Every structure is written in C-alpha cells, then in structure tokens.
Amino acid sequence: ALEHAHKQGVVHRDLKPTNIVLINYDEEKDFVKVVDFGVAKLMNSSPEGQRLTQQGEVCGSPVYMSPEQCTGLDLDPRSDIYSMGIVIYETLTGKLPLLGKTMVDTMSKHISEMPPSFSQSRPDLYIPERLEQVIFKALAKDPNDRHQTMDELKIDLELAIPRPGKSQVLRTAPADESSFQATIKGLVKRKAV
C-alpha cells in the first residue's frame, strides 16, 4: 500500500497502527489498506503549489516519526519506511521501540537513540535475528542507511521470515556456546541421515 502511494509521489507522514486497516476486498480477506492521508505530502511539489505545511513544520505522531521528520526536514519515502519499522517493531514486541517522558523527549530519542534489541525488549520471545536485522535497517537514523523503497523492505522481510521446512538455521549467531553446540550436532545428524 505504501509502495503504491510512493509511486504516486505521496509521502504519508503519519503512518501508525491506527492508520493501517484490514478489510475484505474483492473476496480477499485481510486486504491491507492505509488510511488517513490528512498530513500526506506530494513529493517534488512546486513552491507555488498549494501546501498544507511549510518546510520546517513538524506534523505527525511523535512515537512513529522518523528523525528527519522530528527535525522538520524535507521528507521522502524513506521517512515512511522508518515509521513502518516502528510499526513492525511494536507489532512483534508489543512495545514501542522509543518512548520518552514527553513528546519532545520521544522526538529526541528518535533523532539520537537506537531502540533496544528484541532480546532486550522482550527476552521472553524468540524473534529471529535475521528479522531483527531487517527491522533495524528500516530504523536507521540516516535515511541513506535504510531501505530505499518499500519494495526493498518487503523483499528483505520475505527473505528474513523463517518458512516451515525451508529454514535450517533461524539464528545468525548462536546465543551461547551450548546452543551453538546443539545447532552443530543437529546439522551433523541431518547430514548423517
């Protein structure tokens, strides 16, 4: 949905869970629809064109805003990619990755702090490290270090999500020596059979 908006030259600027809905569409269950383009911005709009916001003006929901959005810089699709990274992080862990005591504190954290790893945020859950790497790339502070398009993010997510019977090793690095040994023994047994 966001890739489509971006191809039309639109940056959403307020992506958050309440603006992503699942509907039944054309007999397809759980069709994803992105809603509330109230603060969206046309990319490459002329200065003479009608604008709802001026450069330097900050709008959106602070807990889902990219660092460049927090500082009032010009935005492009990579800002929405950062916001999507936050939505996915929250979906997987049940927690916001960065949250300050005030709106300004939260925005400051988005500018200067990386979120805690999944194992720090939710040690009770196992979330594959490959998936964490994809999400943290989406959450890079510098837009040049993020996925450059939603399609790139989608492809990385598809490759990182373990598929039953297709993924032999879910972890990129063992958590400790005993799990490393167990992984090696499991792989050796499979090869022997």
Side-chain angles (χ1 to χ4, degrees):
L2 281 176
E3 181 71 13
H4 178 75
H6 294 162
K7 285 181 178 175
Q8 306 311 308
V10 176
V11 179
H12 191 282
R13 300 197 306 178
D14 195 23
L15 189 68
K16 56 189 174 187
T18 56
N19 287 340
I20 303 170
V21 296
L22 300 176
I23 63 170
N24 292 331
Y25 177 75
D26 244 1
E27 297 185 30
E28 184 178 340
K29 261 188 119 172
D30 296 336
F31 182 82
V32 177
K33 186 172 183 177
V34 176
V35 298
D36 192 1
F37 282 79
V39 296
K41 178 181 182 287
L42 287 175
M43 294 180 276
N44 304 320
S45 59
S46 67
E48 303 84 41
Q50 293 183 345
R51 299 173 109 186
L52 294 175
T53 59
Q54 300 295 319
Q55 183 175 356
E57 191 171 35
V58 176
C59 58
S61 302
V63 294
Y64 298 98
M65 288 168 63
S66 68
E68 59 272 22
Q69 191 172 2
C70 290
T71 55
L73 298 176
D74 275 337
L75 305 180
D76 62 31
R78 298 172 298 178
S79 179
D80 284 345
I81 290 168
Y82 182 92
S83 299
M84 179 57 79
I86 295 170
V87 169
I88 297 171
Y89 184 106
E90 182 182 18
T91 301
L92 293 172
T93 65
K95 297 179 177 186
L96 286 166
L98 297 166
L99 185 62
K101 293 181 189 224
T102 66
M103 180 172 44
V104 172
D105 188 30
T106 296
M107 292 168 72
S108 176
K109 287 178 181 288
H110 281 293
I111 294 166
S112 61
E113 291 181 26
M114 283 304 289
S117 68
F118 290 153
S119 62
Q120 291 171 314
S121 181
R122 287 297 302 270
D124 58 316
L125 295 178
Y126 170 64
I127 301 170
E129 287 84 355
R130 292 184 312 202
L131 184 56
E132 181 176 49
Q133 290 169 357
V134 173
I135 304 311
F136 274 72
K137 180 176 180 179
L139 292 174
K141 299 302 175 192
D142 183 341
N144 293 319
D145 294 336
R146 291 181 208 142
H147 301 88
Q148 300 301 293
T149 66
M150 285 302 298
D151 196 46
E152 282 182 24
L153 174 59
K154 177 184 167 231
I155 290 167
D156 273 1
L157 285 171
E158 287 172 347
L159 293 172
I161 297 172
R163 304 279 183 231
K166 305 244 184 216
S167 302
Q168 296 226 355
V169 180
L170 297 177
R171 296 184 183 272
T172 54
D176 63 317
E177 187 63 30
S178 62
S179 65
F180 174 73
Q181 294 299 331
T183 301
I184 296 300
K185 285 179 184 176
L187 290 173
V188 169
K189 281 182 184 177
R190 276 194 212 127
K191 295 217 184 238
V193 173

